[in-house]
Amino acid sequence: YNVPVVRVINGQKVLMSGNGDGSIYGLSLLTDKKLWSYPLSKRGINSSVVVQGNRLYASHSEENVDESTAMGRLVCLDVSKIVNGKPELVWKVDGFTAGYASPAIWKNYLFQVDNSANLVAFDALTGEEFWKYNIGVMQRASPVVVDNKLMVSDVDGKFHILSLFFILLMLG
């Protein structure tokens, strides 16, 4: 269900997206070859990735592929640093269940809505959670940043518009 993202990484155009096998992939648009993959979930990735600079952010709400018993994970990968076919993991947040909504990024803030309709602000550089705001009972829509506002609808038919400057004041 996700939408691929295309960015120039290390001088080449790369298509990046989650896949039905639970991995995130980077594919060269010049050669059509797989550049890297990152196993994230034991099931498919429904939410789209977001990329800022060389950092890719992705999430899911299913079982993790490693020893973690938590459901869901949010990760930040440096897709310019590939070792053994995998991008470098910058940070991860285990137990964050965002399997439908895609993240949005503004400055150094990552905004993501979990499956329980909690809109959460993270430090995009460290993964530290700054702020949480509940917008309903469950969530499928992705937040969008427009004109210094964060906009997102919920499954109850409400549309939320939050000033990012007000959020910054709340974040301190």
Side-chain angles (χ1 to χ4, degrees), residues 14-156:
V14 180
L15 182 140
M16 295 166 274
S17 184
N19 201 336
D21 68 356
S23 291
I24 307 294
Y25 288 93
L27 308 170
S28 170
L29 289 180
L30 180 63
T31 66
D32 298 331
K33 303 280 186 216
K34 179 177 83 169
L35 300 172
W36 53 262
S37 63
Y38 188 87
L40 186 60
S41 172
K42 290 186 179 179
R43 301 192 183 183
I45 305 292
N46 293 316
S47 57
S48 297
V49 301
V50 67
V51 179
Q52 182 178 55
N54 293 329
R55 290 187 171 201
L56 176 146
Y57 303 88
S59 65
H60 73 88
S61 61
E62 304 295 333
E63 295 92 356
N64 292 304
V65 294
D66 57 18
E67 70 284 346
S68 173
T69 58
M71 293 290 285
R73 180 174 283 163
L74 174 66
V75 296
C76 173
L77 306 173
D78 186 333
V79 294
S80 70
K81 297 177 182 174
I82 309 302
V83 176
N84 297 324
K86 287 175 55 174
E88 177 184 275
L89 175 66
V90 178
W91 55 258
K92 67 180 177 177
V93 177
D94 281 344
F96 187 74
T97 57
Y100 302 98
S102 302
I105 196 155
W106 179 75
K107 300 187 184 271
N108 286 325
Y109 299 97
L110 182 76
F111 299 97
Q112 177 69 304
V113 184
D114 67 17
N115 294 357
S116 297
N118 295 303
L119 174 61
V120 184
F122 294 94
D123 182 323
L125 301 176
T126 66
E128 177 187 356
E129 182 180 312
F130 283 126
W131 173 79
K132 185 185 291 187
Y133 175 72
N134 185 266
I135 62 170
V137 292
M138 62 189 243
Q139 185 60 26
R140 299 294 185 262
S142 302
V144 177
V145 175
V146 179
D147 295 333
N148 296 315
K149 294 176 185 72
L150 185 66
M151 303 179 191
V152 64
S153 62
D154 64 30
V155 296
D156 296 328

Side-chain angles (χ1 to χ4, degrees), residues 6-20:
V6 176
R7 296 288 185 273
V8 175
I9 306 292
N10 294 336
Q12 65 179 321
K13 283 187 182 178
V14 180
L15 182 140
M16 295 166 274
S17 184
N19 201 336

